[in-house]
């Protein structure tokens, strides 16, 4: 049941003790980097005078801007000792680069193996990795983890949908790693190929890398006949394998022996209570080449520190509600993309894709929501479609508190990507 019982069965106080030891060691390590040497000196903090985990709060946060401007100054070993680099997706500006030593790659692989094992993957499973291999961490991160675990790993990569279906049939794939929006899109390829995913031996899917709702998970589970586990990570903290769902599917356990978690109010920067949504801040506890201290992720979620029936004491994160930088402000109202998704994926008439366009007409902000409607509903009469359009508009309005313009479109007509879905296009400040 446990990949690393010595760590996974620690009680909360034991875990804290381990964190304190590791934090002292990582402060020593971080002092090898020009960036943190200066930061730690300015804060008057070092491994000898750190008494409790809370003492770390004396150190300022590390931000994405710090990484961009001072990234190379954060290395604690010479560049020649690094064996790999990855870069973040760069959806919000210039990409940030993370360097890994050989030991960092091994630690990361072990965390991913632990995550996969927790959901029931075992040697003998056939694991099809449908995430991009490259600068993105999703592909290689899971690849090394799956091999470490001992699963037969198919490095399928992203896209090439027909081939994905063919590989699943040919090799009897039992576990998949897939972007959730792509998992729904791939169903149309199954349809075209005349293959029913329910007849394949699929058991487990890992879905992550982008926000998705509980309804979306249930849709994936029902269509493929498997259990889908939410997986969270970010390149700045290795990649996938930071927080992962256990069989309870009730929040993602943060691997707290490797990452010290803080959840803060993004405005006051004070810690928030359990259950309150705040920004996630992580400190690497066992990364060698480029440990980041108090890194502000911009991701918003709440945490739960009550015991989990699975026996692991590690705190659980809620679904990521959005990012501090992807919040839409429309007519002064704050909207997170996940709110839109929750409404749409909760409606059985809605197919797998939608697109939100933000426009400005005559100095007035406008939200246009294009929604694919399932085949069987799309061919209903006009009166039905007018009624449906009204219902979608009302449902969105009551969640978002602004009235969108809804357009119903045929299934398969909106653009798709093989990577993270682009659901929102903001034309307001363009042209
Ligand atoms: O997306 C790492 C990853 C790969 C995670 C595969 C899970 C599976 P980046 O490209 O650096 O790394 O993007 C990180 O993606 O800060 C979140 O905003 C978002 N994200 C990642 N996982 C989830 C998730 C990878 N499960 C950024 N739910 C993060 C919601 C997620 N958002």
């Amino acid at each position: 049941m446990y990949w690393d019982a010595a760590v996974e069965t620690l009680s909360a106080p034991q875990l804290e003790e381990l964190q304190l030891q590791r934090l002292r060691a990582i402060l020593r390590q971080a002092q090898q980097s020009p960036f943190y040497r200066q930061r730690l000196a300015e804060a008057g903090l070092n491994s000898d005078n750190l008494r409790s985990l809370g003492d770390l709060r004396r150190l300022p946060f590390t931000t994405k801007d710090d990484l961009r401007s001072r990234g190379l100054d954060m290395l604690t070993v010479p560049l020649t000792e690094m064996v790999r680099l990855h870069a973040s997706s760069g959806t919000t500006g210039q990409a940030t680069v993370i360097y890994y030593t050989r030991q960092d790659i091994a630690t990361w692989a072990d965390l991913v193996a632990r995550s996969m094992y927790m959901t029931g993957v075992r040697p003998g499973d056939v694991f099809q990795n449908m995430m991009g291999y490259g600068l993105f961490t999703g592909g290689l991160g899971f690849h090394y983890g799956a091999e470490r675990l001992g699963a037969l790993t198919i490095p399928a990569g992203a896209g090439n949908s027909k081939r994905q279906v063919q590989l699943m049939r040919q090799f009897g794939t039992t576990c998949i790693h897939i972007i959730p929006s792509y998992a729904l899109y791939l169903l149309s390829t199954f349809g075209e190929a005349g293959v029913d995913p329910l007849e394949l031996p699929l058991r487990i899917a890992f879905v992550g890398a982008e926000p998705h709702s509980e309804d979306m998970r249930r849709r994936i589970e029902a269509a493929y006949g498997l259990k889908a586990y939410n997986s969270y990570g970010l390149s700045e903290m290795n990649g996938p394998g930071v927080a992962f769902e256990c069989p309870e599917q009730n929040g993602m356990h943060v691997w707290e022996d490797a990452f010290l978690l803080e959840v803060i109010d993004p405005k006051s920067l004070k810690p928030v209570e359990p259950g309150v949504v705040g920004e996630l801040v992580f400190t690497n506890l066992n990364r060698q080449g480029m440990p980041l201290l108090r890194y502000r992720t911009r991701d918003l979620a709440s945490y739960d520190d009550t015991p989990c029936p699975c026996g692991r004491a590690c705190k659980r994160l809620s679904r990521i509600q959005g990012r501090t930088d992807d919040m839409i402000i429309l007519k002064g109202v704050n909207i997170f993309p996940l709110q839109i998704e929750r409404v749409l994926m909760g409606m059985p008439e809605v197919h797998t894709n939608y697109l939100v366009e933000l426009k400005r007409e005559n100095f007035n902000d406008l939200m246009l929501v294009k929604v694919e409607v399932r085949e069987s509903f799309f061919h209903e009469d006009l009166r039905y479609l007018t009624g449906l359009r009204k219902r979608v508009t009302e449902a969105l309005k009551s969640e978002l508190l602004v009235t969108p313009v809804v357009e119903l479109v045929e299934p398969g007509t909106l653009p798709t990507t093989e990577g993270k879905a682009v659901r929102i296009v903001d034309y307001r400040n363009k042209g």
Side-chain angles (χ1 to χ4, degrees), residues 88-89 131 136-138 142 177 207-212 230-236 239-240 252 297 299 320 323 420:
S88 77
S89 45
M131 289 259 180
F136 176 56
T137 52
F142 262 74
H177 181 210
V207 290
E210 67 178 13
H212 55 288
N230 193 0
S231 112
Y232 167 78
L234 61 161
S235 338
E236 296 91 320
M252 299 180 282
T297 63
D299 288 327
I320 307 296
R323 295 173 54 83
K420 302 186 190 222

Side-chain angles (χ1 to χ4, degrees), residues 174-299:
T174 56
C175 308
I176 56 177
H177 181 210
I178 190 164
I179 298 245
S181 52
Y182 183 67
L184 290 184
Y185 167 74
L186 191 62
L187 291 171
S188 59
T189 309
F190 272 99
E192 284 157 21
V195 179
D196 180 357
L198 292 176
E199 281 167 11
L200 299 175
L202 292 167
R203 309 193 295 120
I204 293 174
F206 304 109
V207 290
E210 67 178 13
H212 55 288
S213 58
E214 190 60 34
D215 278 313
M216 185 128 165
R217 182 230 296 272
R218 296 296 164 213
R219 281 183 180 215
I220 294 169
E221 291 190 330
Y224 287 89
L226 45 67
K227 285 269 180 206
Y229 294 97
N230 193 0
S231 112
Y232 167 78
L234 61 161
S235 338
E236 296 91 320
M237 290 290 130
N238 297 339
V242 174
F244 219 91
E245 276 183 334
C246 68
E248 299 294 321
Q249 293 184 310
N250 186 19
M252 299 180 282
H253 288 283
V254 176
W255 293 130
E256 289 186 274
D257 57 307
F259 308 97
L260 181 70
L261 169 72
E262 294 172 74
V263 187
I264 60 163
D265 179 319
K267 288 216 176 74
S268 72
L269 307 182
K270 298 251 159 46
V272 300
E273 294 294 307
V276 177
V277 173
E279 180 178 345
L280 306 179
V281 174
F282 290 109
T283 296
N284 284 115
L285 291 176
N286 60 356
R287 193 156 68 183
Q288 185 189 38
M290 196 176 177
L292 300 186
L293 308 179
R294 304 198 82 202
Y295 181 70
R296 284 187 70 172
T297 63
R298 303 185 182 180
D299 288 327

